[in-house]
Amino acid sequence: MDKFTTLSSVAAPMPLVNIDTDMIIPKQFLKTIQRSGLGKNLFDEMRYDDDGNEIPEFVLNQPAYRKAQILVAGDNFGCGSSREHAPWALADFGIKAVISTSFADIFYNNCFKNGMLPIVLPQEQVDILMEDARKGENARIAIDLETQTVTSADGQEFGFELDPFKKHCLLNGLDDIGLTLEKVTAIDSFEVQAAQARPWV
Amino acid sequence: MPKTLYDKIWDAHVVHEDADGTCLLYIDRHLVHEVTSPQAFEGLRMTGRTVRAPDKTIAVPDHNVPTTPDREQGIENEESRIQVDALDRNAREFGVHYYPVNDIRQGIVHIVGPEQGWTLPGMTVVCGDSHTATHGAFGALAHGIGTSEVEHVLATQTLIQKKSKNMKVEITGSLAPGVTAKDITLSVIGVTGTAGGTGYVIEYCGQAIEELSMEGRMTVCNMAIEGGARAGLIAPDEKTFEYVKGRPHAPKGAQWDAALAWWKTLKSDPDAQWDKVVTLKGEDIAPVVTWGTSPEDVLPITAVVPDPASFSGGKVEAARRALDYMGLTPGQKLTDIEIDTVFIGSCTNGRIEDLRAAAAILKGQKIKPGLRAMVVPGSGLVRAQAEEEGLAQIFLDAGFEWRLAGCSMCLAMNPDQLSPGERCAATSNRNFEGRQGRGGRTHLMSPAMAAAAAITGRLTDIRDVMAQTA
C-alpha cells in the first residue's frame, strides 16, 4: 500500500450532502474482478451524459479540478453500500484525501486500506475549505498526516482526530493482514478456548 | 459493570486488545458473494495465503444472477458471468461451503444464512455487503465490510476493530393494522437521518419489536445501515430459538442445550448504559413511503411532497436535487404519484412472510394494465414454499412475473433494471439516484404497500385497500 505523509493540492468542491456509493461508482462498474481501472467511471452518472460525453458543469470535468487530489464534500460522504470499489475509483482517479463533516462507517474504514485519508472537521472549518476549493487553481489545501493538520489556502491550520493505529498504517503503508498474522498464536489459542466454550459455532 | 447485548457479544470475541483500544475480533461466520470477493481471493493467491477457516465461510452468488427461468442456460452478460464463475472457482479451490446458482438453496446471502442455520445468536457475522446487518435479528453482531477486510477475514478469521458506541432504539406499544416492520425501520431512519447511527451499534427493543416475527426483525435490522449504524441487533427470545431449531447448521442434541443456555443470557442488563436513545411509539407509526433519493426522505403515505425550503443546511439543495430527479413537485399528494413498475423482493423484504403479506392484498385482484410487476423470492427455498402455499399462483393470476432468487432490481446489477424516468414501488432498501437503473425513480415501502400500488397504479395507503376488502 502507498504511504501517505503530506499532500498539497487543488481541492474539488462537492457540497452535496449524502453523496452515496452508487453515485461514486454506479453498480454497472462493480462487475470487475480487479481493483484498478475504475477512475474513468468515478461519479459516472454525474460526470457523463447518456452518450458518454463529459458534462462540462460537473466539477471533475472542469479544467481546474481534473487533477485534484482532494475532495471537500458535504455531510455523510460515502453512505450506502460496502463496495470498496468506491475508494478504488477515487484512488484510481487520483484522489488521496476527502474532507467532510462526516463519513459513512464502512466507506471510512475502506479508505485506509487504500492509502487514502478521510478527514473529519467541524462544519465551519469545512465551510472555509469549501470556499478554498471553489477558487480552483488559485487555492491549494495542504495536509500533514504526521501533525494531523489541514492548512487552508490563507494559512489557517485545522487539527483533525485520527485513530493512532490507522495513522500508523497509513504513514508507513502497512499491510493489515501481515500485522494480524504476527498475532497468529493469539488467534490459535482463542480458537481452542472458543471451541470449548461454544463448540456449536 | 452492567453490559449491553453488544458489549457481551463483543467481549466474547476479543482475541487481542492493544493499549489504544484497537481490538482483534474473532469472526464466527463469513458470508461471501461474487461482487466483493474476487479481489480478496486474488489477494490470497498473490501472497500465497489460504482461507483460515473454510468451515466458517459460506459462499453464494446473488447480486449478478439473472432471475429469469432461462438462467440455467448460463449468464448472458459476460462480466456478470466472469464474476459468478470466479466465485465458483474460488469457492471450490479454497474449499468453503458453497451454494451454486442452480442449487435450490441459492438465494440472497442474507436470506440463505439464517435459512440454513448458519446465523446463530451471539455470533459475529461479516460479509462484504452492507446489509449484513440483517443477521442482527438473531442477536448476532453482524456488519458489512470492504473487500480488503474480506481478504483479512479469509486469511485470519479476525477483523481489526474499534468498539462502537451503544444506541438503543425502542418501539413501545403495538403497531396499528397495516403497519409493518418496514414501516418501523423506515420511520426510525426518518427520525435519525442516514447519519444518525454513525459510530453506533443499535439495539432495537420494545414491545413492537418483540411482537415482530423473525422475518420482521430481519427487515428492521437489515436497514440499520441506512441509518448509518455499524450494526443493528435484537435480543434473542423464544421466537428466535424456535426459528433456529432444526435448521441444517443449527446445533443439535447436547450442543443445542448448551447453546440455548448461553443464548438465554444474551440480553442487555437492565441498568446498561446507552450513549444514545431513540424512542418511538408503535401506535404513532404510519405506513410510510420515501419521496426522495435518500432513505431518510420518509413520510407517512397520507403526507404531501415536501418543500425543499422547509429543510435546513445542505439538505435544502439535496432535497431540491432529489425532487428534480424524482420528477415531483412540492405539495403534491403522495397518493397521487403514479408508478409503472413494482418490485417485491430483496434482502429487506424477500422472505416468505413478505410474500404472504403481498399475496394477501393481491388475492383475486389484477395489477393495473400496463404495469410491470415482479416478485423475486429471496431464495430458492422461499420460492418453493411460496409455490406450495399457493402464493405464486396468486401473483401470477394478478399479473406479476414470478422470478428465481437473487438481488435483482434492488441494485440492478443483473438485467432487472428501470429505464430512465420509470417509477418503481419497491420493497428494497435504497432509493439512491440510479440505484435501480440510470434515471430510474424508486419509492421504498412495505410489501403490502407495494402490492396495493400494483393494483391502483399509484402510491396507495394500504389501510384504504384493507377497508375495501374488509
Side-chain angles (χ1 to χ4, degrees), chain B residues 102-142:
Chain B
N102 295 326
D103 190 312
I104 192 171
R105 298 167 296 178
Q106 178 272 344
I108 306 171
V109 64
H110 307 308
I111 293 188
V112 172
E115 203 168 70
Q116 293 300 318
W118 290 116
T119 309
L120 299 172
M123 281 185 163
T124 47
V125 181
V126 296
C127 174
D129 190 283
S130 56
H131 291 109
T132 311
T134 312
H135 308 265
F138 292 80
L141 175 59

Short mmCIF file of all heavy atoms in Angstrom, two decimals, chain B residues 102-142:
data_model
loop_
_atom_site.label_atom_id
_atom_site.label_comp_id
_atom_site.label_asym_id
_atom_site.label_seq_id
_atom_site.Cartn_x
_atom_site.Cartn_y
_atom_site.Cartn_z
N ASN B 102 -27.57 -23.00 -9.41
CA ASN B 102 -28.69 -23.91 -9.66
C ASN B 102 -29.05 -24.80 -8.46
O ASN B 102 -29.88 -25.71 -8.58
CB ASN B 102 -28.42 -24.75 -10.90
CG ASN B 102 -28.37 -23.87 -12.13
OD1 ASN B 102 -29.10 -22.87 -12.21
ND2 ASN B 102 -27.51 -24.20 -13.07
N ASP B 103 -28.49 -24.51 -7.30
CA ASP B 103 -28.86 -25.22 -6.08
C ASP B 103 -30.14 -24.59 -5.55
O ASP B 103 -30.27 -23.36 -5.50
CB ASP B 103 -27.71 -25.04 -5.06
CG ASP B 103 -27.86 -25.93 -3.83
OD1 ASP B 103 -28.96 -25.96 -3.23
OD2 ASP B 103 -26.88 -26.58 -3.46
N ILE B 104 -31.10 -25.39 -5.12
CA ILE B 104 -32.36 -24.81 -4.64
C ILE B 104 -32.15 -23.93 -3.41
O ILE B 104 -32.94 -23.04 -3.10
CB ILE B 104 -33.43 -25.90 -4.36
CG1 ILE B 104 -34.79 -25.23 -4.16
CG2 ILE B 104 -33.01 -26.79 -3.18
CD1 ILE B 104 -35.96 -26.14 -4.10
N ARG B 105 -31.03 -24.14 -2.70
CA ARG B 105 -30.75 -23.33 -1.51
C ARG B 105 -30.12 -21.99 -1.86
O ARG B 105 -29.90 -21.16 -0.99
CB ARG B 105 -29.83 -24.12 -0.56
CG ARG B 105 -30.44 -25.41 -0.06
CD ARG B 105 -29.41 -26.31 0.60
NE ARG B 105 -28.41 -26.74 -0.37
CZ ARG B 105 -27.36 -27.51 -0.08
NH1 ARG B 105 -27.17 -27.93 1.15
NH2 ARG B 105 -26.50 -27.87 -1.02
N GLN B 106 -29.79 -21.78 -3.14
CA GLN B 106 -29.20 -20.50 -3.55
C GLN B 106 -30.20 -19.38 -3.31
O GLN B 106 -31.42 -19.58 -3.38
CB GLN B 106 -28.81 -20.55 -5.04
CG GLN B 106 -28.23 -19.25 -5.61
CD GLN B 106 -29.26 -18.28 -6.14
OE1 GLN B 106 -30.42 -18.64 -6.38
NE2 GLN B 106 -28.87 -17.03 -6.29
N GLY B 107 -29.68 -18.21 -3.03
CA GLY B 107 -30.53 -17.04 -2.85
C GLY B 107 -29.68 -15.87 -2.38
O GLY B 107 -28.45 -15.92 -2.45
N ILE B 108 -30.35 -14.84 -1.89
CA ILE B 108 -29.63 -13.68 -1.38
C ILE B 108 -28.90 -14.11 -0.11
O ILE B 108 -29.49 -14.74 0.78
CB ILE B 108 -30.58 -12.51 -1.08
CG1 ILE B 108 -31.43 -12.19 -2.32
CG2 ILE B 108 -29.80 -11.29 -0.62
CD1 ILE B 108 -32.54 -11.19 -2.06
N VAL B 109 -27.64 -13.78 -0.04
CA VAL B 109 -26.77 -14.28 1.03
C VAL B 109 -27.38 -14.04 2.42
O VAL B 109 -27.28 -14.90 3.30
CB VAL B 109 -25.35 -13.67 0.87
CG1 VAL B 109 -25.36 -12.16 1.05
CG2 VAL B 109 -24.36 -14.31 1.78
N HIS B 110 -28.06 -12.91 2.60
CA HIS B 110 -28.61 -12.60 3.92
C HIS B 110 -29.92 -13.35 4.21
O HIS B 110 -30.45 -13.30 5.31
CB HIS B 110 -28.82 -11.10 4.07
CG HIS B 110 -27.58 -10.34 3.77
ND1 HIS B 110 -26.38 -10.64 4.37
CD2 HIS B 110 -27.31 -9.34 2.89
CE1 HIS B 110 -25.45 -9.84 3.88
NE2 HIS B 110 -25.99 -9.06 2.98
N ILE B 111 -30.45 -13.99 3.20
CA ILE B 111 -31.62 -14.85 3.42
C ILE B 111 -31.16 -16.29 3.60
O ILE B 111 -31.67 -17.03 4.44
CB ILE B 111 -32.64 -14.66 2.27
CG1 ILE B 111 -33.19 -13.22 2.38
CG2 ILE B 111 -33.72 -15.73 2.32
CD1 ILE B 111 -34.33 -12.86 1.49
N VAL B 112 -30.13 -16.66 2.84
CA VAL B 112 -29.60 -18.03 2.91
C VAL B 112 -28.97 -18.31 4.29
O VAL B 112 -29.19 -19.39 4.86
CB VAL B 112 -28.56 -18.26 1.79
CG1 VAL B 112 -27.86 -19.60 1.95
CG2 VAL B 112 -29.24 -18.17 0.42
N GLY B 113 -28.21 -17.37 4.81
CA GLY B 113 -27.51 -17.57 6.09
C GLY B 113 -28.45 -18.01 7.21
O GLY B 113 -28.28 -19.09 7.80
N PRO B 114 -29.48 -17.21 7.50
CA PRO B 114 -30.44 -17.60 8.54
C PRO B 114 -31.21 -18.87 8.18
O PRO B 114 -31.45 -19.73 9.02
CB PRO B 114 -31.40 -16.40 8.60
CG PRO B 114 -30.60 -15.25 8.11
CD PRO B 114 -29.69 -15.81 7.06
N GLU B 115 -31.59 -18.99 6.90
CA GLU B 115 -32.40 -20.12 6.47
C GLU B 115 -31.68 -21.45 6.69
O GLU B 115 -32.29 -22.45 7.09
CB GLU B 115 -32.66 -19.93 4.97
CG GLU B 115 -33.85 -20.63 4.41
CD GLU B 115 -34.12 -20.09 3.00
OE1 GLU B 115 -33.33 -20.37 2.08
OE2 GLU B 115 -35.12 -19.38 2.84
N GLN B 116 -30.37 -21.45 6.48
CA GLN B 116 -29.59 -22.68 6.63
C GLN B 116 -29.07 -22.88 8.05
O GLN B 116 -28.35 -23.83 8.33
CB GLN B 116 -28.42 -22.67 5.63
CG GLN B 116 -28.85 -22.75 4.17
CD GLN B 116 -29.64 -24.00 3.87
OE1 GLN B 116 -29.31 -25.09 4.33
NE2 GLN B 116 -30.73 -23.87 3.12
N GLY B 117 -29.39 -21.94 8.93
CA GLY B 117 -28.93 -22.08 10.32
C GLY B 117 -27.46 -21.71 10.51
O GLY B 117 -26.87 -22.03 11.53
N TRP B 118 -26.89 -21.01 9.53
CA TRP B 118 -25.50 -20.53 9.72
C TRP B 118 -25.48 -19.40 10.74
O TRP B 118 -24.53 -19.26 11.49
CB TRP B 118 -24.92 -20.03 8.38
CG TRP B 118 -24.65 -21.10 7.38
CD1 TRP B 118 -25.24 -21.27 6.18
CD2 TRP B 118 -23.68 -22.16 7.50
NE1 TRP B 118 -24.72 -22.36 5.53
CE2 TRP B 118 -23.76 -22.92 6.32
CE3 TRP B 118 -22.76 -22.53 8.48
CZ2 TRP B 118 -22.96 -24.04 6.09
CZ3 TRP B 118 -21.96 -23.64 8.26
CH2 TRP B 118 -22.06 -24.38 7.07
N THR B 119 -26.52 -18.58 10.71
CA THR B 119 -26.58 -17.43 11.61
C THR B 119 -27.21 -17.85 12.92
O THR B 119 -28.33 -18.34 12.94
CB THR B 119 -27.45 -16.32 10.99
OG1 THR B 119 -27.00 -16.06 9.67
CG2 THR B 119 -27.42 -15.07 11.84
N LEU B 120 -26.47 -17.68 14.02
CA LEU B 120 -26.98 -18.08 15.33
C LEU B 120 -26.77 -16.93 16.32
O LEU B 120 -25.91 -16.08 16.12
CB LEU B 120 -26.22 -19.32 15.82
CG LEU B 120 -26.33 -20.58 14.94
CD1 LEU B 120 -25.39 -21.67 15.45
CD2 LEU B 120 -27.77 -21.10 14.90
N PRO B 121 -27.56 -16.92 17.40
CA PRO B 121 -27.41 -15.87 18.40
C PRO B 121 -25.98 -15.81 18.95
O PRO B 121 -25.30 -16.83 19.05
CB PRO B 121 -28.38 -16.29 19.50
CG PRO B 121 -29.43 -17.09 18.79
CD PRO B 121 -28.70 -17.82 17.71
N GLY B 122 -25.55 -14.60 19.28
CA GLY B 122 -24.26 -14.42 19.93
C GLY B 122 -23.05 -14.50 19.02
O GLY B 122 -21.92 -14.36 19.45
N MET B 123 -23.29 -14.73 17.73
CA MET B 123 -22.17 -14.85 16.80
C MET B 123 -21.69 -13.50 16.30
O MET B 123 -22.43 -12.52 16.35
CB MET B 123 -22.61 -15.66 15.56
CG MET B 123 -22.64 -17.14 15.77
SD MET B 123 -23.03 -17.93 14.19
CE MET B 123 -22.50 -19.60 14.58
N THR B 124 -20.47 -13.48 15.78
CA THR B 124 -20.03 -12.38 14.93
C THR B 124 -20.16 -12.86 13.49
O THR B 124 -19.71 -13.95 13.15
CB THR B 124 -18.57 -12.00 15.22
OG1 THR B 124 -17.80 -13.20 15.27
CG2 THR B 124 -18.44 -11.27 16.54
N VAL B 125 -20.83 -12.04 12.67
CA VAL B 125 -21.08 -12.40 11.27
C VAL B 125 -20.66 -11.22 10.40
O VAL B 125 -21.07 -10.09 10.67
CB VAL B 125 -22.58 -12.67 11.04
CG1 VAL B 125 -22.83 -13.08 9.58
CG2 VAL B 125 -23.11 -13.73 11.98
N VAL B 126 -19.83 -11.48 9.41
CA VAL B 126 -19.50 -10.40 8.47
C VAL B 126 -19.67 -10.87 7.04
O VAL B 126 -19.73 -12.07 6.76
CB VAL B 126 -18.05 -9.88 8.65
CG1 VAL B 126 -17.84 -9.25 10.02
CG2 VAL B 126 -17.03 -10.97 8.38
N CYS B 127 -19.78 -9.89 6.15
CA CYS B 127 -19.91 -10.17 4.72
C CYS B 127 -19.53 -8.89 4.00
O CYS B 127 -19.76 -7.80 4.52
CB CYS B 127 -21.36 -10.56 4.40
SG CYS B 127 -21.72 -10.78 2.63
N GLY B 128 -18.98 -9.02 2.82
CA GLY B 128 -18.67 -7.85 2.01
C GLY B 128 -19.93 -7.26 1.43
O GLY B 128 -20.10 -7.20 0.21
N ASP B 129 -20.82 -6.86 2.31
CA ASP B 129 -22.12 -6.34 1.88
C ASP B 129 -22.74 -5.60 3.06
O ASP B 129 -22.84 -6.15 4.16
CB ASP B 129 -23.02 -7.49 1.46
CG ASP B 129 -24.28 -6.99 0.78
OD1 ASP B 129 -25.19 -6.52 1.49
OD2 ASP B 129 -24.34 -7.04 -0.46
N SER B 130 -23.17 -4.39 2.81
CA SER B 130 -23.63 -3.55 3.93
C SER B 130 -24.88 -4.11 4.61
O SER B 130 -25.12 -3.83 5.78
CB SER B 130 -23.89 -2.14 3.44
OG SER B 130 -24.82 -2.16 2.39
N HIS B 131 -25.67 -4.89 3.90
CA HIS B 131 -26.91 -5.40 4.51
C HIS B 131 -26.72 -6.63 5.39
O HIS B 131 -27.68 -7.27 5.80
CB HIS B 131 -27.99 -5.60 3.44
CG HIS B 131 -28.44 -4.28 2.90
ND1 HIS B 131 -28.13 -3.85 1.65
CD2 HIS B 131 -29.11 -3.27 3.51
CE1 HIS B 131 -28.61 -2.62 1.49
NE2 HIS B 131 -29.20 -2.24 2.60
N THR B 132 -25.45 -6.91 5.69
CA THR B 132 -25.13 -7.95 6.67
C THR B 132 -25.80 -7.68 8.01
O THR B 132 -26.02 -8.58 8.82
CB THR B 132 -23.60 -8.04 6.83
OG1 THR B 132 -23.03 -8.10 5.53
CG2 THR B 132 -23.18 -9.26 7.62
N ALA B 133 -26.13 -6.41 8.23
CA ALA B 133 -26.86 -6.03 9.45
C ALA B 133 -28.10 -6.90 9.68
O ALA B 133 -28.53 -7.07 10.83
CB ALA B 133 -27.26 -4.56 9.34
N THR B 134 -28.64 -7.45 8.61
CA THR B 134 -29.83 -8.32 8.69
C THR B 134 -29.73 -9.38 9.79
O THR B 134 -30.69 -9.65 10.53
CB THR B 134 -30.02 -9.08 7.35
OG1 THR B 134 -29.90 -8.14 6.27
CG2 THR B 134 -31.35 -9.79 7.29
N HIS B 135 -28.54 -9.99 9.90
CA HIS B 135 -28.35 -11.12 10.80
C HIS B 135 -28.43 -10.72 12.28
O HIS B 135 -28.51 -11.57 13.15
CB HIS B 135 -27.01 -11.82 10.50
CG HIS B 135 -26.86 -12.18 9.05
ND1 HIS B 135 -27.19 -13.41 8.56
CD2 HIS B 135 -26.48 -11.44 7.98
CE1 HIS B 135 -26.98 -13.42 7.25
NE2 HIS B 135 -26.55 -12.24 6.87
N GLY B 136 -28.39 -9.41 12.52
CA GLY B 136 -28.54 -8.91 13.88
C GLY B 136 -29.87 -9.28 14.50
O GLY B 136 -30.02 -9.28 15.73
N ALA B 137 -30.84 -9.63 13.67
CA ALA B 137 -32.16 -10.02 14.16
C ALA B 137 -32.09 -11.23 15.10
O ALA B 137 -32.99 -11.46 15.89
CB ALA B 137 -33.07 -10.34 12.99
N PHE B 138 -30.98 -11.98 15.00
CA PHE B 138 -30.82 -13.18 15.83
C PHE B 138 -30.03 -12.89 17.11
O PHE B 138 -29.67 -13.80 17.84
CB PHE B 138 -30.12 -14.28 15.02
CG PHE B 138 -30.98 -14.80 13.91
CD1 PHE B 138 -31.10 -14.10 12.72
CD2 PHE B 138 -31.73 -15.95 14.09
CE1 PHE B 138 -31.94 -14.55 11.71
CE2 PHE B 138 -32.56 -16.41 13.09
CZ PHE B 138 -32.67 -15.70 11.89
N GLY B 139 -29.73 -11.61 17.33
CA GLY B 139 -28.86 -11.29 18.46
C GLY B 139 -27.42 -11.65 18.13
O GLY B 139 -26.66 -12.10 18.96
N ALA B 140 -27.06 -11.46 16.85
CA ALA B 140 -25.68 -11.65 16.40
C ALA B 140 -25.12 -10.27 16.10
O ALA B 140 -25.87 -9.36 15.75
CB ALA B 140 -25.64 -12.52 15.16
N LEU B 141 -23.81 -10.12 16.24
CA LEU B 141 -23.16 -8.88 15.85
C LEU B 141 -22.75 -9.03 14.39
O LEU B 141 -21.81 -9.77 14.09
CB LEU B 141 -21.94 -8.61 16.74
CG LEU B 141 -21.10 -7.39 16.36
CD1 LEU B 141 -21.93 -6.12 16.37
CD2 LEU B 141 -19.90 -7.25 17.29
N ALA B 142 -23.46 -8.36 13.51
CA ALA B 142 -23.29 -8.61 12.08
C ALA B 142 -23.16 -7.29 11.33
O ALA B 142 -23.98 -6.40 11.50
CB ALA B 142 -24.51 -9.37 11.55
#
